[in-house]
Each structure stands twice: as C-alpha cells, then as structure tokens.
Amino acid sequence: MKDLKGLKTEFLEYIEIEKGRSVKTVENYDRYLMRFLNFAKVKSPAQITEQMVREFRITLNRSAGVTGTMKKNTQNYHLIALRAFLKFLRKRDIESLNPERIELAKVGGRDLDLITADELNRIMRAPTGDELGGLRDRAILELLFSTGLRVSELCNLNQDIDLSRDEFSVRGKGEKVRVVFLSASAKKAVAEYLKKRGDMSKALFVSYGKGGTSKGKDLPRITPRSVERLVKQYAIKAGITRKVTPHVIRHCLHAETRIMGNPSLTTAKELFASEKQKKVLGFDWKNNRLMRASIKRRETHSTQRLISLWADGREICCTPYHSFFTPSVNGIVPIQAQDLKVGDYVAGVRSVQWSQGSRPESESTDFWRLLGYILGDGTLSEARRGIIINDKERRHIDLYNEIVFRVTGRCGTVTKLSGGNGYALNIYNVGFLKKVRALGITQRSKERRVPAGLFQESETAIRAFLAGYYDAEGNNGRIKMFSASKELLKDIQMLLLRLSIESILLRRERRVKLPQGRVIDHVIYILHVTYPPSENRFVELIPTFKQRIRPKKEWQRLDIALPTQPLIRGLYPLLLAKRGFIHWLGNRYGIRYLKRYTRICTTPLLLSVFLKACKEKRIRNPFIKQLEVLNRLDSIRWLRVKKLEMVGGVSKVYDFTIEPTHNFITDGFISHNSFATDLLENGADLRSVQALLGHANIATTQVYTHVTDKHLREVHQAFHGKRRK
C-alpha cells in the first residue's frame, strides 16, 4: 500500500482530471493536506483518528492568520480538504477515518459592505475626462456592475468581445463557462474606451504607465489588485468611506413608516434608534403566514427623492429603489417603487395580529376609551387647567361624564355651547391633563398620533380606544372616520388591521369657511371600512355609541380581487388550442367568457373552479402552478396602485436587513428589504442566479440575494435598461 503522501498525490490528480477542479483549487488542497500530514506525522490512513483531527483543529484555531488568529472559514477549508481526501480513500476501499465524523466549525452570517443607490451613482460618475485612464476605469466599473464578473474574470477578458450582442461567455472558477449580459451603458463605455486604444495588446483592460500613452505598445494586462485599488480610489473620490462593491443597492423607508414588530408597532426612525427591538413581523411565502424575523443590519442616509405610493386605500412613503412584491407570469417577484405604474398590484396583508404575551394592562379600558375621544375631539388647555370635549348629543356627553368619573374619581362640568350646537364636557383635572400630555397628545390636530404604548396593549384596550375615537370622529350609518392628520388615521388603520378589519384611507380637498368669514383651502382625510366582513367585525368588536351602524349579514367573496390577468393572458392561447376546452368550460363550470379574465381580476371562487376544471382535463403548465400559488395565498391582500407622487425635500431614510423572511410589514405593505444584487433586484430563479454569478455553491448566491423566479435576460434588461435615468 502507498504511504499517505503518495495517496495524496493520487487524490490531487483525481480532483484535477476526473473532477475538473481548477489548478488553483488543487494547489489549495495540496497546501491544506500537507499542513495536516506534517502535523499528524503518520504514514498510514488507518492511523488517522478523531482525536488527531480534534488536536489539529485546536492547532488551527490558535494559529496566526492575516489579522489575528486564523478565521473559522479558513479553518473549515482545511477540514473540507481533509474530508474530501478521506472520501477518496473510502472509494478505493482503503481503511481510514469515516469522513462523516468530521464536522465543520460553525461560522457567523457573512456580512457584506453595501452601498446605497445614490452612492452607486456617484461612484459610476467618478471617472471623468476623455483620457485613456478615465475611459478604461469607467468601462471597468460599468462592466463589473452589468455582468457580475469576478475581478479575476474581468482581468482575463480580451478585446474580441462582440459589442453588437447583449451577452458573452466567460470561463470562471473550475474552468466552467457561463453567459453574462451587457447593459447598454456598459457597451457604450467599453466601445468608447476601445475606440481610443492604440496599443498592440489583446487584453481588454491594460495597465498604463505614468505617461498614460498606448500608441504602438504591447501593454501588460491589468491585474486584479489594480482593479481593487481603482475601485477604492473612486469610492473615496465619491465620498464613500466604507468598502465598496458595485453589485448592491439598498431600499429605504421614510422615517414615519410604520413597521410591525412583535408585540408592538414602531416607526422606521424609532426602530433604527432602538437597540432593544430586534424582532419584526415578516411574511413567510412558503407557509402563507406572518412570522417573527430578526433585524440583522440597520442603515440610514439622506435623500432628496421620495415616492408617495397609494394603493387601495393604503399609503407608504419610500425611496424610488424600495421594493415591493407583485404577481407576474414568472411568479411573485420584487418590483421597485419607481417601476410601478397605476393599475399594477402589490402585496399587502389582511391583518397584522401579534401576541401580547403576559404583559399586564397598564390602564383601564375606560381610560383608553376616554383617551380615544380626547384624541379625536378634545382640547387640552393648561390655562384652563383641564380638557374640554364636545358633542352634539347630550346623551354622549352624559355617558362620557360617567367614564370621566370612573377614570379620575370626579365628574366633569357640562355646559351648553353658544348657538345651541351641542354640549361641552369640561374635565378640570391637572393630574389627568399631565398624564394625557405625557402620552404625546399635542394641541395641533394635524400633528396628532396614536400613543405608541397602545400598540403593545391588549385587544380589549385597542377596541376601547377605537370606540372612543369613533364616538368623537366617526359617522352615523356608513363606517367612516375623519381627521386632519393623515398619520393619525394611518395609525388607526394599523390598529384596525390588528383586529383583522380592513379599511381605506382617502384624501379630500375642500374649501372651508371659518367663523370669522374667511374661506381657506383645507385637506381632510377619511378612513372608510367598506369590506363586508370588516364591517361585520367592526360592529361586533367596537362598542361605539354612534347610531344606525348595521352589519351586512350576507356577503360573498366577490369583492376579493386576485390579479391573475397576466397568467390567464399567457395561458389562454394554449387553452384555445385544445379543441373544445373553452366550450366545455362554459357548459360544465359556467365560465363562459374566459377571455375577459385576460383583462380583469378573478375571484377566489372563480379561480378555484377554473383550477378544478384544468385538473379534471389534466392540463399541466407553469402558469397553472402560479395560479395555484395565488389561490393559496389567502393571507395576502393584493393592493391596486392608484397614485404615485414624487415628494421633494431632503429627508432621512432608513434601511434594514431582515432574516430569514427578507421582507417585513410596513404600513400594511409587504416590503422586500433584503440587501440584494443589483442585477437581480427584480427577481430571478436562484439557481439561474447561481449560474450567472458563477458560484459553485448555491449558499454563496444566497449570501448576496434573496430572489424569486424570473428569466435572467428579462431581469437584466429590465433593470440595467432603466437604472440611473
């Protein structure tokens, strides 16, 4: 039998020839195995023991690395090589240690240094001038960004790239060939650079001396280290102090965006500042449910561009690069706010229930109900040493006076308003006034918000608060609430979602005549509850004193819209080609005009019947699978985009990395908030991404991106065709 060094040589030849590993991989395996053999000082494979491997691991862990001790990843490389060698021996029936007995060291999540979209734009604009060096550097940055090439792969490119095409092949790690794609800006930058070249080198990118000339010379190929230096140089020039990679952008939220935690609701600004809160609610697409997710990273920066997105009565303010989720022929994919159009659909949630746990009640339900009324129609006055609330009906004033007594221990004073238009209840209690002020209730109605502490209270407290607010600002008959504060009604909208009650926020502009006779333009916001099941729940759960509010006892799911148009549009020609299917569908299941659903939404009932018919006829198609996914996601509320408005002014925005969901609930929308590769931001099949980036292991790809199913070429064209306009 050969000794260990001889077997090692055979193993290295095996992985190079039969397994097709690169020369560099073979060199690394040789170095790792030699380190083990020099440590073990054994000649036979049978002499390798678990204890020996354990001692080797301890030695590695205490060895010096580039910075401090050797990193866990580097230690694992040694163990991976050793396990592969032992597997090789087992295949040849050579007695040795079972490779399964060697476990890799646990390493933490891989942190990426990431840049914002504004920073990306700045670094792309950093190379200036028409000199060869500037043209080359601009072409390098554009090509790296467009293709996702490794630096070593970029340095090995030659001038024979066909710029008339949108793609080319590259040989990467392990001598594997893959296709990468060229954006229009990358092709333009490379063409401008090559046009000015005059050297004899076949390399696409070359190094220039101090003179920067290239006429008639055979210049050396640029090195990976040189590329790293120039990227760092332009990052500094662009005012970016951290490590830069050209593959990433971020999505950012306005400071007041409501983010669902567990068990609280907070704003993006508060979440960024809080060290204690590390959990939020995200949506688990696989299991169709909300789940707790962890905040892994927090970032903030300033921007001058924000988009106000209104979709089916919900509003969110974010940067143009912030991503939501939309249905498409390739599944549910991320889409940036700047790419949305009126009529598109984005994913929201039907409810945002969270667990209160065993937290004790901080205040009585009477307190929260009274506070709700004060927030809606109360005047807080230190000069009067109390709080005044008004109502047209004496019955309501008397009922609230009883609540005041239970909360403060004394009754208020009731007076009739001048002009005979109602009554005032004066609560003269300085202690209670201070308590209400401490909860953050201001005098100005446009600036009022729901007290943050309420979101951590029980459902009973929330119901009492909503009843009080509705008594003050609600409507008789149809369920609607009013306020001059948009943010206040958005808070209440989230409270209603906590109770699985859906509502629609609307903005109304009107002209108001003041008591002094002056007419002014005034904006008021209205929160409607129009969805029949939600109307029923509101009447059932909210004990308002308002009259004539009646639930709709009978309702159908006809008002639930499923945006299946693109899928049925793609499926319709295939069904039409199946002789007699359309006619049979109408006669058997009553779906007589299937073509109309290429333009309009379906309902859950109709979609279920359609899928049943397709199953009966054994129709199998990717579109059918996507329709089944949409039909299954009954926790999702698909929100139709109604308005997109640009918001000016400098604002601070906030960004978060969320795991494992890579999304979280923001103002009732599901926000995609994973740090992801630029090229793939609109969504791509994970294994296709793996191939595009040349990663040997799909886990490596997952470090960079959380993506869904979409064709790579379409993704590349869609993203690179519109970026930085």
Side-chain angles (χ1 to χ4, degrees):
M1 179 185 291
K2 291 187 175 69
D3 62 7
L4 273 174
K5 290 188 177 180
L7 291 170
K8 175 184 71 73
T9 302
E10 288 186 7
F11 166 69
L12 296 176
E13 292 171 349
Y14 164 76
I15 63 170
E16 179 180 2
I17 298 171
E18 296 184 40
K19 302 294 286 186
R21 301 298 187 205
S22 68
V23 174
K24 189 67 176 176
T25 300
V26 174
E27 290 176 358
N28 288 335
Y29 273 44
D30 187 18
R31 185 171 67 256
Y32 300 145
L33 291 174
M34 280 305 301
R35 176 171 285 181
F36 173 75
L37 295 180
N38 290 336
F39 167 83
K41 295 182 173 60
V42 293
K43 295 184 178 181
S44 168
Q47 295 176 293
I48 300 174
T49 64
E50 279 190 72
Q51 181 61 28
M52 187 180 296
V53 174
R54 180 175 177 78
E55 292 173 359
F56 177 61
R57 296 181 70 160
I58 293 173
T59 302
L60 291 177
N61 196 51
R62 296 172 180 173
S63 299
V66 177
T67 56
T69 57
M70 185 181 292
K71 291 183 178 180
K72 295 291 185 183
N73 279 332
T74 308
Q75 295 176 39
N76 281 342
Y77 295 151
H78 289 76
L79 300 177
I80 290 169
L82 180 57
R83 287 204 308 191
F85 178 49
L86 294 175
K87 287 180 182 179
F88 167 79
L89 296 177
R90 282 289 180 107
K91 282 184 178 181
R92 283 172 174 49
D93 295 325
I94 298 173
E95 183 183 353
S96 61
L97 177 66
N98 185 351
E100 302 300 327
R101 306 291 295 176
I102 301 176
E103 294 184 8
L104 300 182
K106 185 176 181 180
V107 295
R110 184 173 177 180
D111 291 329
L112 298 178
D113 292 297
L114 301 154
I115 60 173
T116 68
D118 290 338
E119 290 170 334
L120 171 65
N121 291 337
R122 295 206 305 270
I123 196 172
M124 288 295 184
R125 292 194 299 265
T128 57
D130 295 328
E131 298 300 320
L132 265 173
L135 292 174
R136 179 202 64 185
D137 297 349
R138 191 179 305 121
I140 286 174
L141 292 176
E142 288 284 357
L143 201 58
L144 280 172
F145 179 75
S146 171
T147 59
L149 286 169
R150 296 182 178 88
V151 176
S152 59
E153 294 168 345
L154 178 133
C155 294
N156 288 330
L157 293 177
N158 293 324
Q159 290 193 48
D160 56 2
I161 292 179
D162 185 358
L163 296 178
S164 65
R165 302 179 61 196
D166 294 332
E167 62 187 52
F168 65 90
S169 298
V170 62
R171 190 177 297 277
K173 287 177 67 174
E175 297 297 303
K176 295 177 182 177
V177 177
R178 71 183 193 278
V179 175
V180 295
F181 303 102
L182 283 167
S183 66
S185 56
K187 289 195 288 186
K188 180 181 178 183
V190 173
E192 289 176 351
Y193 166 59
L194 290 177
K195 185 177 180 180
K196 198 159 185 175
R197 286 270 297 270
D199 59 87
M200 304 295 290
S201 176
K202 68 176 183 178
L204 179 59
F205 297 112
V206 295
S207 293
Y208 299 109
K210 293 184 179 180
T213 181
S214 67
K215 297 294 182 182
K217 294 183 179 179
D218 186 6
L219 296 175
R221 189 182 295 273
I222 196 169
T223 64
R225 184 70 185 115
S226 297
V227 175
E228 291 169 2
R229 288 195 190 101
L230 73 86
V231 171
K232 182 178 180 180
Q233 166 196 332
Y234 287 119
I236 294 171
K237 184 177 179 180
I240 306 169
T241 57
R242 57 181 178 271
K243 184 181 177 182
V244 173
T245 61
H247 298 291
V248 290
I249 59 175
R250 69 177 73 257
H251 323 291
C252 294
L253 297 164
H254 186 269
E256 296 303 319
T257 303
R258 289 146 197 81
I259 296 174
M260 298 299 167
N262 193 341
S264 64
L265 180 143
T266 187
T267 65
K269 181 180 179 181
E270 291 166 348
L271 185 62
F272 176 81
S274 173
E275 291 296 329
K276 293 182 179 179
Q277 187 162 348
K278 298 180 180 180
K279 297 289 185 181
V280 293
L281 286 183
F283 189 77
D284 180 357
W285 292 97
K286 182 178 180 181
N287 297 305
N288 185 33
R289 63 181 178 88
L290 292 175
M291 65 175 290
R292 297 183 73 186
S294 300
I295 302 170
K296 295 299 184 182
R297 190 163 180 159
R298 308 165 197 242
E299 297 289 339
T300 182
H301 73 274
S302 296
T303 184
Q304 293 182 336
R305 295 182 64 212
L306 288 173
I307 289 179
S308 173
L309 165 64
W310 290 80
D312 276 344
R314 299 184 193 178
E315 191 250 6
I316 188 171
C317 200
C318 58
T319 64
Y321 305 102
H322 186 73
S323 289
F324 302 93
F325 291 90
T326 189
S328 76
V329 294
N330 298 295
I332 298 167
V333 299
I335 185 169
Q336 293 179 355
Q338 65 182 355
D339 298 328
L340 287 169
K341 306 182 297 296
V342 172
D344 288 346
Y345 287 85
V346 292
V349 290
R350 292 194 171 279
S351 67
V352 286
Q353 297 186 24
W354 60 84
S355 59
Q356 185 206 5
S358 58
R359 187 176 184 268
E361 299 286 354
S362 62
E363 300 289 348
S364 67
T365 53
D366 281 331
F367 174 86
W368 287 114
R369 179 158 194 161
L370 181 57
L371 188 70
Y373 199 107
I374 292 169
L375 188 65
D377 194 21
T379 302
L380 286 71
S381 174
E382 277 75 13
R384 296 187 187 184
R385 303 175 66 79
I387 301 170
I388 302 96
I389 61 176
N390 304 296
D391 203 290
K392 291 181 180 180
E393 296 191 29
R394 176 62 188 256
R395 184 179 71 92
H396 290 174
I397 289 294
D398 291 339
L399 288 169
Y400 271 91
N401 205 4
E402 293 175 9
I403 294 174
V404 169
F405 178 78
R406 292 196 293 269
V407 171
T408 67
R410 67 180 73 170
C411 289
T413 303
V414 180
T415 58
K416 190 174 178 60
L417 296 175
S418 60
N421 290 325
Y423 301 86
L425 176 59
N426 303 282
I427 309 169
Y428 298 115
N429 190 310
V430 176
F432 181 65
L433 171 63
K434 289 181 178 179
K435 190 173 184 178
V436 172
R437 284 288 195 207
L439 290 171
I441 297 181
T442 68
Q443 185 61 36
R444 292 177 58 85
S445 60
K446 288 185 178 181
E447 298 172 359
R448 289 190 175 181
R449 298 286 300 271
V450 169
L454 178 61
F455 291 96
Q456 300 185 47
E457 295 293 331
S458 67
E459 181 179 310
T460 303
I462 291 172
R463 289 164 56 187
F465 174 87
L466 291 173
Y469 185 84
Y470 198 85
D471 288 339
E473 294 290 352
N475 191 54
N476 282 312
R478 298 299 302 275
I479 303 172
K480 58 176 73 172
M481 290 159 271
F482 308 88
S483 180
S485 170
K486 178 182 71 172
E487 299 303 326
L488 172 58
L489 286 187
K490 287 178 70 174
D491 286 343
I492 291 176
Q493 189 175 44
M494 295 304 106
L495 286 175
L496 290 172
L497 280 179
R498 166 70 175 84
L499 304 176
S500 299
I501 297 173
E502 296 183 51
S503 57
I504 296 173
L505 181 66
L506 299 176
R507 171 189 166 114
R508 179 183 170 191
E509 297 180 5
R510 61 179 184 175
R511 297 181 70 81
V512 178
K513 188 174 183 178
L514 299 177
Q516 301 84 357
R518 188 162 60 97
V519 178
I520 63 170
D521 291 326
H522 180 65
V523 176
I524 191 169
Y525 294 91
I526 307 169
L527 192 64
H528 289 258
V529 177
T530 59
Y531 180 47
S534 293
E535 290 179 303
N536 292 344
R537 283 187 64 80
F538 188 93
V539 172
E540 177 188 348
L541 298 178
I542 311 301
T544 176
F545 294 150
K546 292 291 184 179
Q547 304 296 310
R548 300 186 302 278
I549 296 179
R550 296 287 183 268
K552 294 185 178 179
K553 295 187 181 299
E554 294 184 5
W555 62 278
Q556 293 180 327
R557 296 179 69 191
L558 298 178
D559 54 333
I560 300 177
L562 296 179
T564 54
Q565 301 97 311
L567 294 168
I568 294 182
R569 198 178 300 129
L571 191 59
Y572 186 76
L574 305 176
L575 299 178
L576 201 61
K578 291 185 176 293
R579 187 182 298 272
F581 178 82
I582 301 295
H583 180 73
W584 172 84
L585 186 65
N587 288 338
R588 174 69 181 240
Y589 289 103
I591 305 176
R592 301 187 183 280
Y593 304 102
L594 183 63
K595 191 174 182 180
R596 75 168 66 170
Y597 298 107
T598 62
R599 304 185 308 275
I600 65 174
C601 292
T602 58
T603 64
L605 179 60
L606 186 143
L607 182 56
S608 296
V609 171
F610 175 71
L611 291 173
K612 181 180 178 181
C614 291
K615 185 177 181 180
E616 187 174 329
K617 288 294 185 179
R618 297 183 179 179
I619 297 174
R620 295 181 178 87
N621 185 280
F623 293 129
I624 296 290
K625 290 184 178 180
Q626 297 299 341
L627 287 171
E628 289 172 346
V629 170
L630 278 179
N631 197 43
R632 178 177 59 84
L633 292 172
D634 54 5
S635 297
I636 296 295
R637 169 75 187 275
W638 293 104
L639 305 168
R640 191 169 188 263
V641 176
K642 298 296 180 69
K643 185 163 55 175
L644 294 154
E645 296 178 316
M646 294 303 301
V647 180
V650 178
S651 300
K652 182 167 279 191
V653 290
Y654 300 86
D655 186 32
F656 305 90
T657 305
I658 309 297
E659 292 182 2
T661 59
H662 299 280
N663 67 65
F664 57 160
I665 313 305
T666 55
D667 283 335
F669 296 83
I670 301 178
S671 284
H672 184 295
N673 229 222
S674 162
F675 289 117
T677 305
D678 263 330
L679 181 61
L680 310 170
E681 191 51 45
N682 288 347
D685 177 76
L686 189 57
R687 294 201 176 273
S688 298
V689 178
Q690 178 189 6
L692 183 71
L693 297 180
H695 292 155
N697 191 327
I698 200 165
T700 307
T701 308
Q702 289 172 317
V703 169
Y704 290 94
T705 180
H706 176 77
V707 292
T708 52
D709 188 19
K710 200 172 185 183
H711 295 303
L712 283 178
R713 185 190 300 278
E714 294 174 0
V715 173
H716 189 276
Q717 292 173 347
F719 180 77
H720 286 286
K722 60 180 174 281
R723 70 177 178 85
R724 304 203 309 274
K725 287 186 178 178

